[in-house]
Amino acid sequence: MRNLVPGEPSGRLSDAWRFCVGTGRFELALRRDYQDSLALVQRDIGFRHIRGHGLLSDGVGVHRPYEYGGARHVRHSFTYVDQVVDAYLELGIQPFVELGFMPSGLASGEQTVFWWRGNVTPPSSWQEWAELVRATVTHLIDRYGLDQVRRWPIEVWNEPNLKEFWQGADEAAYHRLYEVTARTIKDVDASLQVGGPSISPGSDEWMPRFADFVTARDVPVDFVSRHAYTSGPAQHVPFGVHQTMRPAAELLEQFGTPRRQLRGGPLADLPVHITEFNSSYRPDNPVHDTAFNAAYLAPVLAAGGELVDSFSYWTFSDMFEEVGIPTSIFHGGFGLLTHRQIKKPTYHLYAFMARMGDRLLTRGEDHLVTRDDTGRVTVLAWAPVDVTGGPAVAGHTVRLSIPMAADSAFMLRSSVSEEMGNAWAAWCEMGRPRSPHPRQLDILREAAEPVRRHRNLPVAAGSLDLDLTLDRHEVTLVELTPVADETPPWWDESRILGLGEGAR
């Protein structure tokens, strides 16, 4: 069946998918190779904000208690903060500030998360916590200007509904943390954006209770946030995990949950930010490296902006060390940071989205069609995936009839799949070398590039018929540009070898 594409846009294509992207712990951004990789991401994709953990953890060194004159004092030091934020702004990306984890010198306990030991206990002094928040926000304003910092959402903590991230998953203690933090931020400047509760899937009941709490106590809140993942329990193997996956439609279901829960209440009209999402939250799950992951997430990127104000991919880089220093060149993000920036299929999915037009023509279960103001039509199409583990099938076909005011169109098609633009597949075929030598890295970088094809397609009666047959787990971008033929009247292709009329 051929899908008829409307001639006029139905609206604007949301770019909620590029509002924010996730990253590893804050101080990783001090590394040159991290900044080089982020520069490439910004060139190809162009995110507006970046969010990661550990701004207040010991590795960044903001909170520095000391004793002098027999009394306790605290020095707030922003040397690393300034270096990281400076680098972000130079690359055209702004912080999405996550306040956490607890500095060890302020923590009430010793429970930590990740190998870099982010402390997840409440503060031993609420006053000192408020002073830390005030000093951090005030410093950012002093250095970068109030107008700039007003555009940076400030999120209070990360996944407090999980005992791994907040001691005992103590909801009342989190509410107190949120209230103290939000009031402190608003006391610095009432127009700063603050929100939460940044919950993970599985504790949806936290959201309405959070809404009840801030409403009852008139606590400031400018946005609500949560996370979305569809992976099952971790099945551990040495240096990695495997997980089952639920259908990608469940990600969209999770995206829509906050607005359903808050409908009709005082928080109903607040922005909703999905501050982490992916198939799996584990950096050591190899699913992130596959063509499957790109095809799996394609319908989410195509439709997610209809449900939320942003959804942030977790994470942009393989410098992602939650479970330790990576033991493989493939590790959790959608671009390989330390190995000449070898890209993965999901990276190309985002790069394809960045090349789409901004005027939405139509969206289907396996395709998205847009147009820009030059008349260029862009088609993103993807092969359906099977989360039950059945074999990936080639041959899925998308058939479109596209209005076009020209006699013909130039088609550029860029594709990644199990066989095309897939560095993971090439690495596996090499024997999965743990430390590829330079020539192997060059091959992987070349293998990661999308396969590109082009041709001239006829337009008949104002319509172009486009038939796309997709490879296994393929994501493809088609760009259609009307042709203004400037071929000179004497041009004759058959005479290139000089064998036609007039040859001597």
Side-chain angles (χ1 to χ4, degrees):
M1 177 180 176
R2 189 170 298 281
N3 295 280
L4 301 179
V5 175
E8 293 300 320
S10 59
R12 295 282 180 177
L13 177 65
S14 168
D15 65 350
W17 58 271
R18 79 193 316 167
F19 181 86
C20 187
V21 71
T23 178
R25 72 185 191 279
F26 190 82
E27 66 266 32
L28 289 174
L30 296 170
R31 289 176 51 165
R32 177 179 174 180
D33 51 359
Y34 176 106
Q35 294 178 22
D36 287 346
S37 185
L38 185 56
L40 180 67
V41 168
Q42 288 303 94
R43 187 197 74 187
D44 290 349
I45 301 169
F47 292 103
R48 295 203 291 277
H49 293 85
I50 187 165
R51 172 192 176 273
H53 305 321
L55 169 64
L56 301 178
S57 294
D58 289 353
V60 184
V62 174
H63 182 266
R64 309 294 291 275
Y66 64 98
E67 288 196 11
Y68 180 74
R72 175 184 169 90
H73 303 270
V74 176
R75 179 176 183 173
H76 299 113
S77 176
F78 299 100
T79 303
Y80 280 1
V81 172
D82 293 347
Q83 290 182 48
V84 170
V85 176
D86 287 356
Y88 284 162
L89 296 180
E90 287 173 6
L91 293 170
I93 195 166
Q94 304 175 73
F96 191 121
V97 180
E98 178 200 300
L99 292 178
F101 294 113
M102 194 62 60
S104 60
L106 179 55
S108 60
E110 297 182 354
Q111 182 183 339
T112 62
V113 68
F114 307 141
W115 74 274
W116 47 271
R117 300 181 62 80
N119 191 288
V120 296
T121 67
S124 57
S125 165
W126 290 99
Q127 179 180 343
E128 195 170 303
W129 168 260
E131 291 169 354
L132 172 61
V133 171
R134 182 184 301 276
T136 301
V137 174
T138 300
H139 174 79
L140 293 174
I141 291 171
D142 289 345
R143 185 173 179 87
Y144 301 105
L146 180 58
D147 289 344
Q148 175 100 268
V149 180
R150 281 173 172 166
R151 297 196 292 269
W152 303 352
I154 304 174
E155 186 178 41
V156 181
W157 214 256
N158 175 75
E159 298 187 348
N161 60 302
L162 296 181
K163 59 181 177 57
E164 291 82 4
F165 286 100
W166 182 242
Q167 184 175 269
D170 186 332
E171 192 170 6
Y174 174 74
H175 286 168
R176 184 178 185 187
L177 180 82
Y178 182 84
E179 180 172 6
V180 170
T181 305
R183 293 195 188 283
T184 301
I185 291 169
K186 291 294 188 177
D187 189 51
V188 174
D189 184 83
S191 62
L192 295 172
Q193 302 176 58
V194 62
S198 188
I199 56 173
S200 72
S203 298
D204 289 348
E205 68 280 1
W206 272 56
M207 187 65 75
R209 291 200 295 258
F210 175 77
D212 291 343
F213 171 78
V214 296
T215 301
R217 294 186 58 83
D218 195 27
V219 180
V221 58
D222 299 296
F223 64 88
V224 296
S225 61
R226 67 158 289 163
H227 299 167
Y229 294 102
T230 46
S231 51
Q235 304 165 24
H236 291 274
V237 296
F239 306 107
V241 300
H242 302 294
Q243 294 168 286
T244 57
M245 298 291 161
R246 299 187 298 280
E250 289 199 20
L251 283 172
L252 296 174
E253 179 73 16
Q254 292 179 46
F255 286 13
T257 297
R259 287 212 164 102
R260 288 194 299 271
Q261 292 177 310
L262 301 175
R263 186 178 297 129
L267 308 190
D269 296 328
L270 291 184
V272 175
H273 294 299
I274 306 298
T275 51
E276 293 179 21
F277 93 98
N278 205 332
S279 51
S280 168
Y281 54 88
R282 295 280 307 206
D284 51 353
N285 186 334
V287 73
H288 303 113
D289 310 319
T290 64
F292 169 94
N293 206 60
Y296 178 85
L297 294 179
V300 180
L301 266 66
E306 303 299 315
L307 302 170
V308 293
D309 294 88
S310 77
F311 48 108
S312 178
Y313 185 86
W314 191 253
T315 64
F316 90 89
S317 166
D318 275 31
M319 188 181 289
F320 181 22
E321 300 179 353
E322 292 185 349
V323 295
I325 296 171
T327 59
S328 163
I329 69 166
F330 288 87
H331 192 79
F334 64 37
L336 294 184
L337 183 79
T338 57
H339 292 83
R340 302 193 184 183
Q341 302 157 335
I342 300 168
K343 305 167 188 176
K344 302 178 186 177
T346 304
Y347 182 102
H348 291 301
L349 166 64
Y350 271 81
F352 291 169
M353 286 291 295
R355 286 157 58 185
M356 298 289 288
D358 61 350
R359 299 174 186 181
L360 178 63
L361 294 178
T362 190
R363 179 170 39 229
E365 293 183 355
D366 54 7
H367 65 274
L368 173 68
V369 186
T370 65
R371 192 178 70 201
D372 64 20
D373 56 8
T374 70
R376 181 182 65 108
V377 173
T378 46
V379 179
L380 183 74
W382 54 89
V385 300
D386 183 356
V387 298
T388 67
V393 178
H396 179 78
T397 302
V398 176
R399 294 184 172 89
L400 302 171
S401 182
I402 302 171
M404 187 155 292
D407 294 329
S408 66
F410 175 75
M411 181 193 77
L412 176 64
R413 178 175 176 180
S414 306
S415 299
V416 294
S417 70
E418 294 292 344
E419 283 75 32
M420 297 181 287
N422 192 335
W424 166 262
W427 180 68
C428 293
E429 291 160 358
M430 284 180 177
R432 298 178 175 85
R434 286 193 292 267
S435 298
H437 56 66
R439 175 56 182 152
Q440 288 175 315
L441 290 173
D442 287 344
I443 292 170
L444 291 174
R445 184 177 57 190
E446 293 170 7
E449 286 301 306
V451 170
R452 293 184 172 90
R453 291 159 283 183
H454 53 82
R455 65 182 59 183
N456 183 284
L457 298 179
V459 175
S463 182
L464 182 151
D465 287 343
L466 181 68
D467 291 348
L468 302 173
T469 300
L470 302 178
D471 199 356
R472 299 183 302 145
H473 294 156
E474 181 174 348
V475 176
T476 194
L477 174 72
V478 174
E479 300 171 78
L480 297 166
T481 307
V483 170
D485 195 346
E486 299 180 3
T487 304
W490 60 84
W491 185 258
D492 183 348
E493 195 80 15
S494 67
R495 296 184 59 189
I496 285 179
L497 297 180
L499 302 177
E501 180 180 352
R504 296 181 181 271

